[in-house]
Amino acid sequence: MGASPLFRFKGTDPEYKYYTQFMDRFNIVESEKQMNASDSKMDTICSIYPKIIDIRKNHERMNSAVTFTYRGCLENAWNVAYICFMAAFETILFNKMKSNMQGRLSMACGLILGDTLEEYHKYRKQFVKLYDIRSDILHGKAYTLVDSENNLDNLGNLSKLLRHTWIKILISDDLFNVTKSDDDTRTIWLQNRQESLKTKFFEKQRST
């Protein structure tokens, strides 16, 4: 996988002390400017990179997810990018919980991103909606997806959800280790996480 340099500059806008800028072969890509690049955000980026290097070198399954994510970012056709992002998701989220594939993946997404039972259901519902579009593309219904603006919106929503998932995994040492472990270990962690969210929900209900 190639790499593009990320620079931080001191800005002239009083609202933003620093900003970051990705460079493609040392040409500025205007759409890749991120304002308000604080020291804490840069520290987070620096803490994430070693984990990505570890994935690239030592973990074939998660390395596939990184590659799918990267290919989706480069792809011009929205439907091809969509399948790349969803392939990355399926690689990250695969587990052996009792359900069909969509159910297992949506549960894993909700359990990784949700810190409460309500958030779990919110993220699971969002993933199911996006997964249905993936199924339309792969199972002969791509011709029905003719609204280009809606297609790009859905691609953007999938990209944001995948980015959120990557950040959550890479920031948390515990979640990072679980995600790159074997299928059985991930499944046990997800089951325990599900029970924990349910317990917190019912304890909250009893206290109100």
Side-chain angles (χ1 to χ4, degrees), residues 158-194:
L158 178 60
S159 175
K160 289 176 184 177
L161 193 66
L162 179 59
R163 182 182 300 180
H164 188 183
T165 303
W166 270 121
I167 291 173
K168 191 89 180 267
I169 290 170
L170 292 170
I171 286 178
S172 168
D173 291 337
D174 176 54
L175 190 52
F176 176 70
N177 290 328
V178 167
T179 307
K180 66 183 184 180
S181 65
D182 60 79
D183 295 346
D184 291 331
T185 301
R186 287 198 310 282
T187 300
I188 292 171
W189 185 91
L190 290 168
Q191 291 169 336
N192 290 338
R193 173 74 169 167
Q194 189 175 45

PDB file of all heavy atoms in Angstrom, residues 158-194:
ATOM      1  N   LEU A 158     -21.573   4.979   4.504  1.00  0.00           N
ATOM      2  CA  LEU A 158     -20.798   3.751   4.738  1.00  0.00           C
ATOM      3  C   LEU A 158     -19.354   4.086   5.068  1.00  0.00           C
ATOM      4  O   LEU A 158     -18.753   3.501   5.982  1.00  0.00           O
ATOM      5  CB  LEU A 158     -20.869   2.849   3.510  1.00  0.00           C
ATOM      6  CG  LEU A 158     -20.057   1.545   3.583  1.00  0.00           C
ATOM      7  CD1 LEU A 158     -20.527   0.677   4.748  1.00  0.00           C
ATOM      8  CD2 LEU A 158     -20.171   0.775   2.270  1.00  0.00           C
ATOM      9  N   SER A 159     -18.780   5.030   4.340  1.00  0.00           N
ATOM     10  CA  SER A 159     -17.399   5.444   4.577  1.00  0.00           C
ATOM     11  C   SER A 159     -17.228   6.003   5.989  1.00  0.00           C
ATOM     12  O   SER A 159     -16.262   5.679   6.688  1.00  0.00           O
ATOM     13  CB  SER A 159     -16.988   6.494   3.533  1.00  0.00           C
ATOM     14  OG  SER A 159     -15.704   7.000   3.804  1.00  0.00           O
ATOM     15  N   LYS A 160     -18.175   6.831   6.423  1.00  0.00           N
ATOM     16  CA  LYS A 160     -18.105   7.414   7.770  1.00  0.00           C
ATOM     17  C   LYS A 160     -18.211   6.338   8.843  1.00  0.00           C
ATOM     18  O   LYS A 160     -17.494   6.375   9.856  1.00  0.00           O
ATOM     19  CB  LYS A 160     -19.220   8.446   7.949  1.00  0.00           C
ATOM     20  CG  LYS A 160     -19.017   9.725   7.154  1.00  0.00           C
ATOM     21  CD  LYS A 160     -20.212  10.656   7.295  1.00  0.00           C
ATOM     22  CE  LYS A 160     -20.055  11.897   6.426  1.00  0.00           C
ATOM     23  NZ  LYS A 160     -21.258  12.758   6.509  1.00  0.00           N
ATOM     24  N   LEU A 161     -19.110   5.372   8.622  1.00  0.00           N
ATOM     25  CA  LEU A 161     -19.275   4.301   9.610  1.00  0.00           C
ATOM     26  C   LEU A 161     -18.026   3.430   9.688  1.00  0.00           C
ATOM     27  O   LEU A 161     -17.595   3.037  10.771  1.00  0.00           O
ATOM     28  CB  LEU A 161     -20.493   3.451   9.244  1.00  0.00           C
ATOM     29  CG  LEU A 161     -20.987   2.482  10.331  1.00  0.00           C
ATOM     30  CD1 LEU A 161     -21.524   3.253  11.534  1.00  0.00           C
ATOM     31  CD2 LEU A 161     -22.077   1.565   9.772  1.00  0.00           C
ATOM     32  N   LEU A 162     -17.433   3.148   8.537  1.00  0.00           N
ATOM     33  CA  LEU A 162     -16.198   2.355   8.510  1.00  0.00           C
ATOM     34  C   LEU A 162     -15.058   3.124   9.171  1.00  0.00           C
ATOM     35  O   LEU A 162     -14.276   2.555   9.948  1.00  0.00           O
ATOM     36  CB  LEU A 162     -15.842   1.994   7.070  1.00  0.00           C
ATOM     37  CG  LEU A 162     -14.553   1.181   6.867  1.00  0.00           C
ATOM     38  CD1 LEU A 162     -14.618  -0.140   7.618  1.00  0.00           C
ATOM     39  CD2 LEU A 162     -14.307   0.943   5.376  1.00  0.00           C
ATOM     40  N   ARG A 163     -14.962   4.408   8.887  1.00  0.00           N
ATOM     41  CA  ARG A 163     -13.915   5.231   9.506  1.00  0.00           C
ATOM     42  C   ARG A 163     -14.080   5.260  11.025  1.00  0.00           C
ATOM     43  O   ARG A 163     -13.100   5.130  11.768  1.00  0.00           O
ATOM     44  CB  ARG A 163     -13.972   6.659   8.955  1.00  0.00           C
ATOM     45  CG  ARG A 163     -12.896   7.576   9.515  1.00  0.00           C
ATOM     46  CD  ARG A 163     -13.029   8.980   8.975  1.00  0.00           C
ATOM     47  NE  ARG A 163     -12.918   9.038   7.526  1.00  0.00           N
ATOM     48  CZ  ARG A 163     -13.004  10.155   6.820  1.00  0.00           C
ATOM     49  NH1 ARG A 163     -13.199  11.308   7.427  1.00  0.00           N
ATOM     50  NH2 ARG A 163     -12.887  10.133   5.510  1.00  0.00           N
ATOM     51  N   HIS A 164     -15.317   5.429  11.477  1.00  0.00           N
ATOM     52  CA  HIS A 164     -15.610   5.432  12.911  1.00  0.00           C
ATOM     53  C   HIS A 164     -15.174   4.116  13.551  1.00  0.00           C
ATOM     54  O   HIS A 164     -14.595   4.093  14.642  1.00  0.00           O
ATOM     55  CB  HIS A 164     -17.116   5.657  13.109  1.00  0.00           C
ATOM     56  CG  HIS A 164     -17.531   5.863  14.535  1.00  0.00           C
ATOM     57  ND1 HIS A 164     -18.840   6.012  14.917  1.00  0.00           N
ATOM     58  CD2 HIS A 164     -16.809   5.923  15.688  1.00  0.00           C
ATOM     59  CE1 HIS A 164     -18.903   6.163  16.221  1.00  0.00           C
ATOM     60  NE2 HIS A 164     -17.689   6.112  16.713  1.00  0.00           N
ATOM     61  N   THR A 165     -15.437   3.016  12.853  1.00  0.00           N
ATOM     62  CA  THR A 165     -15.066   1.695  13.364  1.00  0.00           C
ATOM     63  C   THR A 165     -13.553   1.540  13.450  1.00  0.00           C
ATOM     64  O   THR A 165     -13.020   1.058  14.458  1.00  0.00           O
ATOM     65  CB  THR A 165     -15.660   0.594  12.459  1.00  0.00           C
ATOM     66  OG1 THR A 165     -17.081   0.750  12.390  1.00  0.00           O
ATOM     67  CG2 THR A 165     -15.324  -0.792  12.995  1.00  0.00           C
ATOM     68  N   TRP A 166     -12.847   1.936  12.394  1.00  0.00           N
ATOM     69  CA  TRP A 166     -11.383   1.859  12.406  1.00  0.00           C
ATOM     70  C   TRP A 166     -10.805   2.685  13.557  1.00  0.00           C
ATOM     71  O   TRP A 166      -9.905   2.229  14.277  1.00  0.00           O
ATOM     72  CB  TRP A 166     -10.811   2.345  11.079  1.00  0.00           C
ATOM     73  CG  TRP A 166     -10.621   1.307  10.029  1.00  0.00           C
ATOM     74  CD1 TRP A 166     -11.182   1.274   8.772  1.00  0.00           C
ATOM     75  CD2 TRP A 166      -9.787   0.130  10.105  1.00  0.00           C
ATOM     76  NE1 TRP A 166     -10.768   0.161   8.087  1.00  0.00           N
ATOM     77  CE2 TRP A 166      -9.911  -0.556   8.867  1.00  0.00           C
ATOM     78  CE3 TRP A 166      -8.973  -0.408  11.098  1.00  0.00           C
ATOM     79  CZ2 TRP A 166      -9.221  -1.742   8.600  1.00  0.00           C
ATOM     80  CZ3 TRP A 166      -8.294  -1.593  10.838  1.00  0.00           C
ATOM     81  CH2 TRP A 166      -8.421  -2.247   9.611  1.00  0.00           C
ATOM     82  N   ILE A 167     -11.302   3.905  13.733  1.00  0.00           N
ATOM     83  CA  ILE A 167     -10.772   4.775  14.789  1.00  0.00           C
ATOM     84  C   ILE A 167     -11.009   4.147  16.157  1.00  0.00           C
ATOM     85  O   ILE A 167     -10.109   4.132  17.013  1.00  0.00           O
ATOM     86  CB  ILE A 167     -11.420   6.176  14.707  1.00  0.00           C
ATOM     87  CG1 ILE A 167     -10.930   6.904  13.449  1.00  0.00           C
ATOM     88  CG2 ILE A 167     -11.094   7.001  15.951  1.00  0.00           C
ATOM     89  CD1 ILE A 167     -11.629   8.221  13.186  1.00  0.00           C
ATOM     90  N   LYS A 168     -12.211   3.617  16.373  1.00  0.00           N
ATOM     91  CA  LYS A 168     -12.539   2.994  17.659  1.00  0.00           C
ATOM     92  C   LYS A 168     -11.596   1.818  17.935  1.00  0.00           C
ATOM     93  O   LYS A 168     -11.099   1.644  19.054  1.00  0.00           O
ATOM     94  CB  LYS A 168     -13.991   2.513  17.623  1.00  0.00           C
ATOM     95  CG  LYS A 168     -14.563   2.091  18.973  1.00  0.00           C
ATOM     96  CD  LYS A 168     -15.176   3.270  19.691  1.00  0.00           C
ATOM     97  CE  LYS A 168     -15.743   2.846  21.050  1.00  0.00           C
ATOM     98  NZ  LYS A 168     -17.163   2.480  20.995  1.00  0.00           N
ATOM     99  N   ILE A 169     -11.340   1.011  16.914  1.00  0.00           N
ATOM    100  CA  ILE A 169     -10.468  -0.157  17.071  1.00  0.00           C
ATOM    101  C   ILE A 169      -9.024   0.258  17.320  1.00  0.00           C
ATOM    102  O   ILE A 169      -8.347  -0.276  18.200  1.00  0.00           O
ATOM    103  CB  ILE A 169     -10.561  -1.055  15.824  1.00  0.00           C
ATOM    104  CG1 ILE A 169     -11.932  -1.745  15.764  1.00  0.00           C
ATOM    105  CG2 ILE A 169      -9.438  -2.092  15.806  1.00  0.00           C
ATOM    106  CD1 ILE A 169     -12.203  -2.447  14.457  1.00  0.00           C
ATOM    107  N   LEU A 170      -8.548   1.221  16.555  1.00  0.00           N
ATOM    108  CA  LEU A 170      -7.135   1.589  16.626  1.00  0.00           C
ATOM    109  C   LEU A 170      -6.792   2.398  17.876  1.00  0.00           C
ATOM    110  O   LEU A 170      -5.651   2.381  18.339  1.00  0.00           O
ATOM    111  CB  LEU A 170      -6.738   2.365  15.370  1.00  0.00           C
ATOM    112  CG  LEU A 170      -6.741   1.548  14.072  1.00  0.00           C
ATOM    113  CD1 LEU A 170      -6.576   2.460  12.862  1.00  0.00           C
ATOM    114  CD2 LEU A 170      -5.652   0.487  14.092  1.00  0.00           C
ATOM    115  N   ILE A 171      -7.754   3.095  18.444  1.00  0.00           N
ATOM    116  CA  ILE A 171      -7.496   3.886  19.645  1.00  0.00           C
ATOM    117  C   ILE A 171      -7.485   3.006  20.892  1.00  0.00           C
ATOM    118  O   ILE A 171      -6.715   3.240  21.835  1.00  0.00           O
ATOM    119  CB  ILE A 171      -8.539   5.021  19.775  1.00  0.00           C
ATOM    120  CG1 ILE A 171      -8.241   6.124  18.753  1.00  0.00           C
ATOM    121  CG2 ILE A 171      -8.547   5.607  21.177  1.00  0.00           C
ATOM    122  CD1 ILE A 171      -9.237   7.255  18.769  1.00  0.00           C
ATOM    123  N   SER A 172      -8.323   1.975  20.896  1.00  0.00           N
ATOM    124  CA  SER A 172      -8.437   1.098  22.072  1.00  0.00           C
ATOM    125  C   SER A 172      -7.503  -0.103  21.947  1.00  0.00           C
ATOM    126  O   SER A 172      -7.653  -0.915  21.034  1.00  0.00           O
ATOM    127  CB  SER A 172      -9.888   0.617  22.207  1.00  0.00           C
ATOM    128  OG  SER A 172      -9.981  -0.434  23.140  1.00  0.00           O
ATOM    129  N   ASP A 173      -6.564  -0.231  22.874  1.00  0.00           N
ATOM    130  CA  ASP A 173      -5.651  -1.382  22.855  1.00  0.00           C
ATOM    131  C   ASP A 173      -6.414  -2.694  23.016  1.00  0.00           C
ATOM    132  O   ASP A 173      -6.126  -3.688  22.335  1.00  0.00           O
ATOM    133  CB  ASP A 173      -4.606  -1.254  23.965  1.00  0.00           C
ATOM    134  CG  ASP A 173      -3.616  -0.135  23.707  1.00  0.00           C
ATOM    135  OD1 ASP A 173      -3.453   0.250  22.529  1.00  0.00           O
ATOM    136  OD2 ASP A 173      -3.009   0.358  24.670  1.00  0.00           O
ATOM    137  N   ASP A 174      -7.388  -2.707  23.919  1.00  0.00           N
ATOM    138  CA  ASP A 174      -8.169  -3.920  24.165  1.00  0.00           C
ATOM    139  C   ASP A 174      -8.939  -4.334  22.905  1.00  0.00           C
ATOM    140  O   ASP A 174      -8.882  -5.492  22.475  1.00  0.00           O
ATOM    141  CB  ASP A 174      -9.141  -3.691  25.323  1.00  0.00           C
ATOM    142  CG  ASP A 174     -10.041  -4.894  25.562  1.00  0.00           C
ATOM    143  OD1 ASP A 174      -9.518  -6.007  25.742  1.00  0.00           O
ATOM    144  OD2 ASP A 174     -11.284  -4.717  25.575  1.00  0.00           O
ATOM    145  N   LEU A 175      -9.637  -3.396  22.306  1.00  0.00           N
ATOM    146  CA  LEU A 175     -10.427  -3.695  21.115  1.00  0.00           C
ATOM    147  C   LEU A 175      -9.528  -4.050  19.937  1.00  0.00           C
ATOM    148  O   LEU A 175      -9.866  -4.922  19.119  1.00  0.00           O
ATOM    149  CB  LEU A 175     -11.319  -2.502  20.770  1.00  0.00           C
ATOM    150  CG  LEU A 175     -12.395  -2.705  19.705  1.00  0.00           C
ATOM    151  CD1 LEU A 175     -13.251  -3.912  20.022  1.00  0.00           C
ATOM    152  CD2 LEU A 175     -13.252  -1.455  19.590  1.00  0.00           C
ATOM    153  N   PHE A 176      -8.390  -3.409  19.847  1.00  0.00           N
ATOM    154  CA  PHE A 176      -7.427  -3.712  18.788  1.00  0.00           C
ATOM    155  C   PHE A 176      -6.964  -5.166  18.890  1.00  0.00           C
ATOM    156  O   PHE A 176      -6.949  -5.899  17.887  1.00  0.00           O
ATOM    157  CB  PHE A 176      -6.233  -2.766  18.891  1.00  0.00           C
ATOM    158  CG  PHE A 176      -5.122  -3.039  17.911  1.00  0.00           C
ATOM    159  CD1 PHE A 176      -5.300  -2.800  16.560  1.00  0.00           C
ATOM    160  CD2 PHE A 176      -3.905  -3.532  18.352  1.00  0.00           C
ATOM    161  CE1 PHE A 176      -4.272  -3.053  15.647  1.00  0.00           C
ATOM    162  CE2 PHE A 176      -2.872  -3.787  17.453  1.00  0.00           C
ATOM    163  CZ  PHE A 176      -3.060  -3.541  16.096  1.00  0.00           C
ATOM    164  N   ASN A 177      -6.618  -5.598  20.094  1.00  0.00           N
ATOM    165  CA  ASN A 177      -6.149  -6.975  20.282  1.00  0.00           C
ATOM    166  C   ASN A 177      -7.259  -7.992  20.021  1.00  0.00           C
ATOM    167  O   ASN A 177      -7.012  -9.058  19.446  1.00  0.00           O
ATOM    168  CB  ASN A 177      -5.600  -7.143  21.703  1.00  0.00           C
ATOM    169  CG  ASN A 177      -4.291  -6.397  21.903  1.00  0.00           C
ATOM    170  OD1 ASN A 177      -3.497  -6.263  20.972  1.00  0.00           O
ATOM    171  ND2 ASN A 177      -4.071  -5.885  23.103  1.00  0.00           N
ATOM    172  N   VAL A 178      -8.480  -7.676  20.440  1.00  0.00           N
ATOM    173  CA  VAL A 178      -9.604  -8.578  20.216  1.00  0.00           C
ATOM    174  C   VAL A 178      -9.912  -8.695  18.726  1.00  0.00           C
ATOM    175  O   VAL A 178     -10.133  -9.799  18.203  1.00  0.00           O
ATOM    176  CB  VAL A 178     -10.855  -8.088  20.979  1.00  0.00           C
ATOM    177  CG1 VAL A 178     -12.102  -8.832  20.505  1.00  0.00           C
ATOM    178  CG2 VAL A 178     -10.669  -8.272  22.471  1.00  0.00           C
ATOM    179  N   THR A 179      -9.918  -7.576  18.036  1.00  0.00           N
ATOM    180  CA  THR A 179     -10.311  -7.562  16.626  1.00  0.00           C
ATOM    181  C   THR A 179      -9.349  -8.352  15.754  1.00  0.00           C
ATOM    182  O   THR A 179      -9.763  -8.993  14.787  1.00  0.00           O
ATOM    183  CB  THR A 179     -10.408  -6.107  16.112  1.00  0.00           C
ATOM    184  OG1 THR A 179     -11.267  -5.351  16.966  1.00  0.00           O
ATOM    185  CG2 THR A 179     -10.981  -6.072  14.703  1.00  0.00           C
ATOM    186  N   LYS A 180      -8.082  -8.345  16.087  1.00  0.00           N
ATOM    187  CA  LYS A 180      -7.110  -9.069  15.264  1.00  0.00           C
ATOM    188  C   LYS A 180      -6.913 -10.514  15.735  1.00  0.00           C
ATOM    189  O   LYS A 180      -6.095 -11.243  15.174  1.00  0.00           O
ATOM    190  CB  LYS A 180      -5.769  -8.330  15.246  1.00  0.00           C
ATOM    191  CG  LYS A 180      -5.038  -8.274  16.584  1.00  0.00           C
ATOM    192  CD  LYS A 180      -3.763  -7.454  16.478  1.00  0.00           C
ATOM    193  CE  LYS A 180      -2.992  -7.473  17.791  1.00  0.00           C
ATOM    194  NZ  LYS A 180      -1.744  -6.689  17.733  1.00  0.00           N
ATOM    195  N   SER A 181      -7.690 -10.941  16.743  1.00  0.00           N
ATOM    196  CA  SER A 181      -7.573 -12.305  17.256  1.00  0.00           C
ATOM    197  C   SER A 181      -8.366 -13.275  16.378  1.00  0.00           C
ATOM    198  O   SER A 181      -8.937 -12.896  15.355  1.00  0.00           O
ATOM    199  CB  SER A 181      -8.067 -12.360  18.701  1.00  0.00           C
ATOM    200  OG  SER A 181      -9.453 -12.067  18.755  1.00  0.00           O
ATOM    201  N   ASP A 182      -8.445 -14.542  16.803  1.00  0.00           N
ATOM    202  CA  ASP A 182      -9.145 -15.557  16.011  1.00  0.00           C
ATOM    203  C   ASP A 182     -10.662 -15.413  16.160  1.00  0.00           C
ATOM    204  O   ASP A 182     -11.165 -14.691  17.029  1.00  0.00           O
ATOM    205  CB  ASP A 182      -8.700 -16.962  16.432  1.00  0.00           C
ATOM    206  CG  ASP A 182      -8.991 -17.236  17.898  1.00  0.00           C
ATOM    207  OD1 ASP A 182     -10.149 -17.534  18.230  1.00  0.00           O
ATOM    208  OD2 ASP A 182      -8.051 -17.123  18.714  1.00  0.00           O
ATOM    209  N   ASP A 183     -11.408 -16.128  15.309  1.00  0.00           N
ATOM    210  CA  ASP A 183     -12.868 -16.002  15.258  1.00  0.00           C
ATOM    211  C   ASP A 183     -13.523 -16.329  16.595  1.00  0.00           C
ATOM    212  O   ASP A 183     -14.455 -15.641  17.026  1.00  0.00           O
ATOM    213  CB  ASP A 183     -13.441 -16.919  14.177  1.00  0.00           C
ATOM    214  CG  ASP A 183     -13.002 -16.521  12.779  1.00  0.00           C
ATOM    215  OD1 ASP A 183     -12.475 -15.404  12.615  1.00  0.00           O
ATOM    216  OD2 ASP A 183     -13.186 -17.335  11.854  1.00  0.00           O
ATOM    217  N   ASP A 184     -13.061 -17.378  17.255  1.00  0.00           N
ATOM    218  CA  ASP A 184     -13.672 -17.795  18.520  1.00  0.00           C
ATOM    219  C   ASP A 184     -13.475 -16.739  19.607  1.00  0.00           C
ATOM    220  O   ASP A 184     -14.400 -16.443  20.371  1.00  0.00           O
ATOM    221  CB  ASP A 184     -13.083 -19.130  18.984  1.00  0.00           C
ATOM    222  CG  ASP A 184     -13.498 -20.289  18.089  1.00  0.00           C
ATOM    223  OD1 ASP A 184     -14.597 -20.218  17.502  1.00  0.00           O
ATOM    224  OD2 ASP A 184     -12.723 -21.254  17.967  1.00  0.00           O
ATOM    225  N   THR A 185     -12.274 -16.174  19.681  1.00  0.00           N
ATOM    226  CA  THR A 185     -11.996 -15.147  20.692  1.00  0.00           C
ATOM    227  C   THR A 185     -12.850 -13.904  20.460  1.00  0.00           C
ATOM    228  O   THR A 185     -13.408 -13.330  21.397  1.00  0.00           O
ATOM    229  CB  THR A 185     -10.502 -14.771  20.671  1.00  0.00           C
ATOM    230  OG1 THR A 185      -9.710 -15.929  20.932  1.00  0.00           O
ATOM    231  CG2 THR A 185     -10.195 -13.700  21.716  1.00  0.00           C
ATOM    232  N   ARG A 186     -12.971 -13.488  19.194  1.00  0.00           N
ATOM    233  CA  ARG A 186     -13.805 -12.316  18.873  1.00  0.00           C
ATOM    234  C   ARG A 186     -15.253 -12.584  19.232  1.00  0.00           C
ATOM    235  O   ARG A 186     -15.949 -11.710  19.759  1.00  0.00           O
ATOM    236  CB  ARG A 186     -13.692 -11.958  17.393  1.00  0.00           C
ATOM    237  CG  ARG A 186     -12.384 -11.328  16.996  1.00  0.00           C
ATOM    238  CD  ARG A 186     -12.487 -10.615  15.654  1.00  0.00           C
ATOM    239  NE  ARG A 186     -13.088 -11.443  14.620  1.00  0.00           N
ATOM    240  CZ  ARG A 186     -12.447 -12.407  13.958  1.00  0.00           C
ATOM    241  NH1 ARG A 186     -11.181 -12.659  14.241  1.00  0.00           N
ATOM    242  NH2 ARG A 186     -13.062 -13.099  13.014  1.00  0.00           N
ATOM    243  N   THR A 187     -15.724 -13.787  18.942  1.00  0.00           N
ATOM    244  CA  THR A 187     -17.121 -14.124  19.214  1.00  0.00           C
ATOM    245  C   THR A 187     -17.413 -14.084  20.707  1.00  0.00           C
ATOM    246  O   THR A 187     -18.435 -13.529  21.139  1.00  0.00           O
ATOM    247  CB  THR A 187     -17.456 -15.520  18.650  1.00  0.00           C
ATOM    248  OG1 THR A 187     -17.232 -15.519  17.235  1.00  0.00           O
ATOM    249  CG2 THR A 187     -18.908 -15.876  18.923  1.00  0.00           C
ATOM    250  N   ILE A 188     -16.517 -14.626  21.512  1.00  0.00           N
ATOM    251  CA  ILE A 188     -16.694 -14.611  22.965  1.00  0.00           C
ATOM    252  C   ILE A 188     -16.705 -13.179  23.481  1.00  0.00           C
ATOM    253  O   ILE A 188     -17.535 -12.811  24.326  1.00  0.00           O
ATOM    254  CB  ILE A 188     -15.587 -15.433  23.662  1.00  0.00           C
ATOM    255  CG1 ILE A 188     -15.754 -16.924  23.336  1.00  0.00           C
ATOM    256  CG2 ILE A 188     -15.605 -15.205  25.171  1.00  0.00           C
ATOM    257  CD1 ILE A 188     -14.594 -17.783  23.787  1.00  0.00           C
ATOM    258  N   TRP A 189     -15.812 -12.338  22.967  1.00  0.00           N
ATOM    259  CA  TRP A 189     -15.767 -10.927  23.388  1.00  0.00           C
ATOM    260  C   TRP A 189     -17.070 -10.226  23.038  1.00  0.00           C
ATOM    261  O   TRP A 189     -17.623  -9.481  23.865  1.00  0.00           O
ATOM    262  CB  TRP A 189     -14.591 -10.212  22.711  1.00  0.00           C
ATOM    263  CG  TRP A 189     -14.424  -8.796  23.188  1.00  0.00           C
ATOM    264  CD1 TRP A 189     -13.651  -8.368  24.222  1.00  0.00           C
ATOM    265  CD2 TRP A 189     -15.055  -7.629  22.644  1.00  0.00           C
ATOM    266  NE1 TRP A 189     -13.753  -6.998  24.355  1.00  0.00           N
ATOM    267  CE2 TRP A 189     -14.608  -6.524  23.406  1.00  0.00           C
ATOM    268  CE3 TRP A 189     -15.935  -7.401  21.598  1.00  0.00           C
ATOM    269  CZ2 TRP A 189     -15.031  -5.225  23.146  1.00  0.00           C
ATOM    270  CZ3 TRP A 189     -16.368  -6.095  21.339  1.00  0.00           C
ATOM    271  CH2 TRP A 189     -15.908  -5.026  22.107  1.00  0.00           C
ATOM    272  N   LEU A 190     -17.585 -10.464  21.843  1.00  0.00           N
ATOM    273  CA  LEU A 190     -18.838  -9.828  21.416  1.00  0.00           C
ATOM    274  C   LEU A 190     -20.002 -10.292  22.280  1.00  0.00           C
ATOM    275  O   LEU A 190     -20.863  -9.487  22.664  1.00  0.00           O
ATOM    276  CB  LEU A 190     -19.108 -10.137  19.945  1.00  0.00           C
ATOM    277  CG  LEU A 190     -18.165  -9.466  18.937  1.00  0.00           C
ATOM    278  CD1 LEU A 190     -18.336 -10.078  17.550  1.00  0.00           C
ATOM    279  CD2 LEU A 190     -18.395  -7.956  18.879  1.00  0.00           C
ATOM    280  N   GLN A 191     -20.049 -11.577  22.598  1.00  0.00           N
ATOM    281  CA  GLN A 191     -21.116 -12.095  23.455  1.00  0.00           C
ATOM    282  C   GLN A 191     -21.058 -11.474  24.852  1.00  0.00           C
ATOM    283  O   GLN A 191     -22.095 -11.091  25.412  1.00  0.00           O
ATOM    284  CB  GLN A 191     -21.017 -13.624  23.539  1.00  0.00           C
ATOM    285  CG  GLN A 191     -21.364 -14.328  22.238  1.00  0.00           C
ATOM    286  CD  GLN A 191     -21.014 -15.806  22.257  1.00  0.00           C
ATOM    287  OE1 GLN A 191     -20.145 -16.245  23.012  1.00  0.00           O
ATOM    288  NE2 GLN A 191     -21.685 -16.589  21.420  1.00  0.00           N
ATOM    289  N   ASN A 192     -19.859 -11.357  25.403  1.00  0.00           N
ATOM    290  CA  ASN A 192     -19.698 -10.734  26.718  1.00  0.00           C
ATOM    291  C   ASN A 192     -20.067  -9.257  26.669  1.00  0.00           C
ATOM    292  O   ASN A 192     -20.667  -8.718  27.609  1.00  0.00           O
ATOM    293  CB  ASN A 192     -18.263 -10.903  27.207  1.00  0.00           C
ATOM    294  CG  ASN A 192     -17.925 -12.332  27.564  1.00  0.00           C
ATOM    295  OD1 ASN A 192     -18.813 -13.138  27.841  1.00  0.00           O
ATOM    296  ND2 ASN A 192     -16.644 -12.665  27.557  1.00  0.00           N
ATOM    297  N   ARG A 193     -19.700  -8.610  25.579  1.00  0.00           N
ATOM    298  CA  ARG A 193     -20.034  -7.191  25.406  1.00  0.00           C
ATOM    299  C   ARG A 193     -21.549  -7.001  25.348  1.00  0.00           C
ATOM    300  O   ARG A 193     -22.088  -6.070  25.948  1.00  0.00           O
ATOM    301  CB  ARG A 193     -19.385  -6.688  24.114  1.00  0.00           C
ATOM    302  CG  ARG A 193     -19.752  -5.279  23.692  1.00  0.00           C
ATOM    303  CD  ARG A 193     -19.084  -4.239  24.543  1.00  0.00           C
ATOM    304  NE  ARG A 193     -19.233  -2.928  23.965  1.00  0.00           N
ATOM    305  CZ  ARG A 193     -18.957  -1.792  24.608  1.00  0.00           C
ATOM    306  NH1 ARG A 193     -18.485  -1.841  25.845  1.00  0.00           N
ATOM    307  NH2 ARG A 193     -19.118  -0.630  24.028  1.00  0.00           N
ATOM    308  N   GLN A 194     -22.233  -7.887  24.641  1.00  0.00           N
ATOM    309  CA  GLN A 194     -23.686  -7.817  24.530  1.00  0.00           C
ATOM    310  C   GLN A 194     -24.345  -7.967  25.900  1.00  0.00           C
ATOM    311  O   GLN A 194     -25.260  -7.208  26.252  1.00  0.00           O
ATOM    312  CB  GLN A 194     -24.178  -8.893  23.569  1.00  0.00           C
ATOM    313  CG  GLN A 194     -25.651  -8.774  23.196  1.00  0.00           C
ATOM    314  CD  GLN A 194     -26.036  -9.802  22.152  1.00  0.00           C
ATOM    315  OE1 GLN A 194     -25.672 -10.973  22.246  1.00  0.00           O
ATOM    316  NE2 GLN A 194     -26.767  -9.368  21.138  1.00  0.00           N
TER     317      GLN A 194
END
